[in-house]
Structures are given as C-alpha cells and as structure tokens.
Amino acid sequence: MIYLRLIYEFMKIGLFAVGGGLATLPFLKDLAIKTGWYTIEDLMNMVAVSESTPGPLGVNMSTFVGFVRGSFLGGICATLGLVIPSIAIIIIIAIMFKKFKDSPIIEKIFFGIRPASIALIASAGYSVMKEALFNFELYSQTNAILDLFKVSSIIYGVILYIVFSKFKLHPIFYILISAVIGIIVKF
Amino acid sequence: MKELFELYFLFLKMGSVCFGGGYAMLPILERELVTKRNWCTKEELLDYYAIGQCTPGVIAVNTSTFIGHKLKGVVGGIVATLGFITPSIIIISILATIIQSITHLPVVEYAFSGIRICVCVLILNATINLWKSAVKDRIGIILFLIIFILSSFLNVSPVILIVLAGFFGYLYKTITGGKEK
C-alpha cells in the first residue's frame, strides 16, 4: 500500500534528518534514486516551490513528494510520517527536559552528527549542481570538453551567487527573477 | 477543548505566515507566544528552539511540539504540530496540482530551468553558512569530507551515515575527553 509506504519512508526521514531546513534534501534525493518516484530535476523544482511558500521547507517538500506519489492523501501521509518521530522525541525530552539539556552523551553524539549533516546537504547540493550546470550525457557522446559545461547556466549561477551574498533579500525574490531570466535566456 | 482549538488555530496562523521555517519563525513565535499571550518566557522559547535544532526532524515542528506540550500536555504537543503543518499541506497540494498540469508548457519549462540554477545557489549558500557555524576543527573537516565522499560517490544511505557519525562522535569524545582531563 502506497500510503503506508509513504508514512514509513517519511518516518525514517523525520527520525534521521537533523538540523532543519535543507536537512531533508539528502534523504529526498536518496528516496528519488531508490524508488524512481520523481527525478532530481523534479526535486529541484520542489525545493523552489517550497522555498517560495509559507511553512517549513522540510514539511513543504514532504507534502510535495507525497502529493506527487499519492495525491492529496499521499501528501498528508508523507507529512504525518515526517512529524511523528518529532512529536514522540520532543515529548519524551520535554518530560525529562533538564536531563537532556545537560547530557554529555547527547553532546558527544552531536559532535559527530553536526559535520555529517552538513556534508549530506553539501552532497545533495553536488548532485543538484551536476544536473543543472553540467551535461555529462552530451560529453560522453561527443567527448568535447566544452560540451561538458552548460556555460550560460554556470555564468548565471556565479552572477546570482555574488548578488545573493551581497544583498540578503528573501529567496523568493531571486527565484522569481530566475524564472523570468530562464524564460528569456532559455537555459 | 476550547483551549485546544485556540492552540490549533494559533499554530495554523503562524504556519501560514512563516516563510522558510527555521530561523524565520523565531520572531513570529516570540510575538505571538511571549509578547501577546505570555504563554512562555523568551528564555524558554530559545531553549526549546536550541533543542529543536539538535533533535531529529524539522526545527519549526520540534519547537511547536515543545510549546504545545508545555501548555496542554501530550495532546497539546500533537495539536500544535498538526496546526502548524496544516497550511503547508493545503498550499502545497494546490500548487502541486497546478504545477503538474502546466509543467509541459515550454514557458514553464524555461522558467524552471532558470529557477533550478537559483536553487543551486540557495543550497550552496546554505551549506557555506552551516559550514561556518559548525565545522570548526580538523576532525570536523575530515568527518565532513569522508561523509561527503561516501554519500556523493558511493551512494551510501544518509540514514546509515548519520548513525555512524553519531557513533563516531560519541567514541571520539569519550576517548579524547578522558585524556584532556
């Protein structure tokens, strides 16, 4: 049953994605590869939509994936799956709040998890960039090194990065501009 | 019962105005819970937030559960969280329906080709910011590189990598922590 499968897969994500925001991305990438429910390109579109709508990124992306796979009910199942571990863990912690806050064991475990969680996001970013900025398929056919790079995409990416680090406007703003530029330039 | 409804709709309201989750929601929570309603202190809120960050799951969801639990026990935790995710489910379902039906249009296709480059930049930027805040010593860098390689080139499941990294952190800190003392 697809709904039970969605709850199960997203409970796993809710249990292991630590750090909020894009922390769910590597798990969703893994799920895409494992199940073929959606492509990496679809996933990037989902990130853009989730960034541009209210609500936490992880919750929005989970609803989106669930919706793509199992329509409205699928979206609900995926999202509930995602938050069930949170609810359980937080309630346990809330009951023994003081102990958790000063626990040296938790501190030690997170010493390892923090860099790992960032590495996973970076790795998901790497797959996404491979898709958007490079053209490995064309390169393997022609073997011409220039065919490997999507030159106009890379140039636009660099410009956007510089502008983005200079002017910290809300991501929606940059997503909208990029949509317009995409229509004009046809990357 | 009336209070649970109030809790549900307050979190529903906050879920529908907070873009991006994470840090963006802190000022909204502070205004609604501390300033307007006096349901918790600012210190409590920051504590919940800090714990929400270092426990599994979405930070905003973890914080919602915490506050709901403080006010109305286990049921309160569940109700607050459900309220918070309701707008996401509705909005994303509507948008996903629209996008699925227009995605084959060339204009939409081109728009998303530009948007995907923007998403790359957003992810790169998030990674660099996280790196600055959390990777501070040599062992952190080594761990980062190992996990990055295992995940990018060998496609090891992120679940396994997180468990291994937590285990490693525990062992490493236990061994070196003993020496320092």
Side-chain angles (χ1 to χ4, degrees), chain A residues 99-117:
Chain A
K99 267 191 227 157
F100 180 86
K101 211 180 152 198
D102 312 315
S103 163
I105 299 175
I106 302 290
E107 179 50 42
K108 285 173 184 172
I109 292 174
F110 271 92
F111 176 78
I113 287 187
R114 249 173 254 128
S117 173

Side-chain angles (χ1 to χ4, degrees), chain A residues 26-117:
Chain A
F27 294 86
L28 294 175
K29 185 199 96 187
D30 193 50
L31 190 64
I33 295 169
K34 213 171 61 185
T35 62
W37 288 346
Y38 48 95
T39 62
I40 298 292
E41 210 170 86
D42 293 335
L43 184 61
M44 294 170 73
N45 298 348
M46 292 176 197
V47 175
V49 172
S50 303
E51 284 267 22
S52 323
T53 44
L57 196 55
V59 174
N60 289 350
M61 290 202 290
S62 302
T63 308
F64 211 133
V65 170
F67 190 91
V68 165
R69 193 61 196 89
S71 197
F72 187 61
L73 194 54
I76 292 178
C77 289
T79 312
L80 286 182
L82 183 80
V83 301
I84 287 170
S86 285
I87 294 177
I89 291 170
I90 292 296
I91 286 175
I92 293 170
I93 291 174
I95 290 168
M96 35 182 254
F97 185 40
K98 272 245 132 46
K99 267 191 227 157
F100 180 86
K101 211 180 152 198
D102 312 315
S103 163
I105 299 175
I106 302 290
E107 179 50 42
K108 285 173 184 172
I109 292 174
F110 271 92
F111 176 78
I113 287 187
R114 249 173 254 128
S117 173

